[in-house]
Amino acid sequence: MHAALAVHPASGNGAAERLMESVAARLRPVVDRLDVLVAHTVEESRALMTDSRAAGLDVLVVLGGDGAAHQGVQFCAESGVALGLVPAGTGNDFARALDIPERPHAAADLVARRIAEGKRRRVDLGRAGGEWFATVLCSGFDALVTERANRLTWPRGPRRYDVAILAELAAFRPRPVVLRTDVETLELDATMIAVGNTPFYGGGMRICPGADPEDGLFDVTVVGNATRRDLLLMLPGVRSGEHTAHPAVRTLKAAQIHLAGSDLPVYADGEPVGRLPLDVTCVPGALTVVG
């Protein structure tokens, strides 16, 4: 068994770097070879992963946050290399969706146990703009919030998103959007659209509460022409998924989606993937995960 531990030292404000040795120590007893790949940039990370794959990599374990997990997904999708996650970031939404413990050492112990037992499962991924994504793709208000949150250095953790939400509320207005699926077409003034492969984004917000990464379909949450007051009333329920009961919210399922109508930014797994228009596809079983 050849495994690699990909470490993004800056994840979690340096938590990943501090945890690197202790996590590696938990993995070494269950594998024949463990490469520790420390990368400070996306390009460096991809180069190190490619070198390990050339040496016959079986499992890639990512120590970091959702940005690090996103890079691991790009590498492992449709490759046969299984992905394991040890969360050490500020959001950790993909790990949360896979029921991986929040505490890094508990997560590392779980990943090690599953490697030893040979447990694997296949999960769906989304594909958009040449990028894979594992959690949620969003456009509109929530994409603008993500854009702003990524620029903030304070506060740390999910509270960054709360600050970004309040800042974006002051300026945002609904935009004309066309949403075409393999089943129906919607033309509306939309506040936001979230396409969920898994339920969570923004550090545990259950924006697409019914999303299941093993059903071959996206869960789509569409917030129509909502006022600022509507959004303020709706936002507390996003943590629990209760926002879907609001009259401005519509949910649907689809495997193929075309989004157009406004030049809005699009984010997936918290990473920029371009602007509208954009085609989004659910690819069943595209990723093998340890578990």
Side-chain angles (χ1 to χ4, degrees), residues 51-129:
D51 288 345
S52 279
R53 179 161 58 193
L57 187 64
D58 299 300
V59 176
L60 175 71
V61 180
V62 172
L63 172 61
D66 283 320
H70 181 76
Q71 294 307 319
V73 166
Q74 307 313 303
F75 176 80
C76 292
E78 293 188 332
S79 72
V81 177
L83 179 67
L85 297 177
V86 178
T90 54
N92 305 317
D93 286 311
F94 190 29
R96 181 177 290 106
L98 296 178
D99 294 323
I100 293 171
E102 290 184 19
R103 291 184 296 112
H105 287 151
D109 289 339
L110 177 64
V111 169
R113 186 165 64 251
R114 288 175 173 175
I115 289 174
E117 295 168 350
K119 288 189 175 180
R120 305 283 188 275
R121 59 189 277 215
R122 301 291 291 272
V123 298
D124 308 336
L125 291 176
R127 185 80 167 159

Side-chain angles (χ1 to χ4, degrees), residues 179 181 184 186 194 206-211 218-224 241 243-254:
L179 187 156
T181 77
E184 60 187 308
L186 302 178
R206 200 180 292 266
I207 187 66
C208 298
F218 294 125
D219 273 45
V220 185
T221 299
V222 181
V223 181
H243 63 290
T244 57
H246 192 281
V249 178
R250 177 172 178 174
T251 61
L252 54 111
K253 289 182 177 287

Side-chain angles (χ1 to χ4, degrees), residues 1-253:
M1 175 67 67
H2 177 192
L5 175 64
V7 183
H8 295 246
S11 292
N13 297 298
E17 185 172 29
R18 295 190 295 272
L19 290 162
M20 177 173 62
E21 290 303 327
S22 58
V23 170
R26 285 165 161 80
L27 298 175
R28 285 195 179 97
V30 299
V31 299
D32 300 304
R33 170 179 169 180
L34 180 69
D35 301 336
V36 179
L37 314 177
V38 181
H40 298 273
T41 66
V42 170
E43 293 75 19
E44 186 180 4
S45 175
R46 289 179 176 174
L48 289 170
M49 290 178 190
T50 300
D51 288 345
S52 279
R53 179 161 58 193
L57 187 64
D58 299 300
V59 176
L60 175 71
V61 180
V62 172
L63 172 61
D66 283 320
H70 181 76
Q71 294 307 319
V73 166
Q74 307 313 303
F75 176 80
C76 292
E78 293 188 332
S79 72
V81 177
L83 179 67
L85 297 177
V86 178
T90 54
N92 305 317
D93 286 311
F94 190 29
R96 181 177 290 106
L98 296 178
D99 294 323
I100 293 171
E102 290 184 19
R103 291 184 296 112
H105 287 151
D109 289 339
L110 177 64
V111 169
R113 186 165 64 251
R114 288 175 173 175
I115 289 174
E117 295 168 350
K119 288 189 175 180
R120 305 283 188 275
R121 59 189 277 215
R122 301 291 291 272
V123 298
D124 308 336
L125 291 176
R127 185 80 167 159
E131 287 275 310
W132 296 98
F133 68 94
T135 58
V136 177
L137 176 145
C138 60
S139 186
F141 176 75
D142 45 357
L144 293 167
V145 167
T146 300
E147 199 167 54
R148 182 179 289 270
N150 286 346
R151 296 195 301 265
L152 294 177
T153 57
W154 182 92
R156 297 177 179 180
R159 292 303 173 193
R160 286 188 306 148
Y161 291 92
D162 297 335
V163 172
I165 283 168
L166 293 175
E168 287 298 329
L169 270 175
F172 187 78
R173 68 185 190 281
R175 312 279 182 87
V177 170
V178 177
L179 187 156
R180 185 181 306 116
T181 77
D182 39 339
V183 177
E184 60 187 308
T185 298
L186 302 178
E187 296 186 27
L188 73 164
D189 286 342
T191 301
M192 55 180 265
I193 296 172
V195 179
N197 183 54
T198 58
F200 306 105
Y201 75 173
M205 291 190 285
R206 200 180 292 266
I207 187 66
C208 298
D212 178 354
E214 296 178 90
D215 66 358
L217 295 170
F218 294 125
D219 273 45
V220 185
T221 299
V222 181
V223 181
N225 195 351
T227 65
R228 292 187 182 91
R229 182 176 183 275
D230 288 330
L231 287 175
L232 285 170
L233 292 173
M234 198 184 306
L235 285 170
V238 178
R239 290 280 171 190
S240 61
E242 295 175 358
H243 63 290
T244 57
H246 192 281
V249 178
R250 177 172 178 174
T251 61
L252 54 111
K253 289 182 177 287

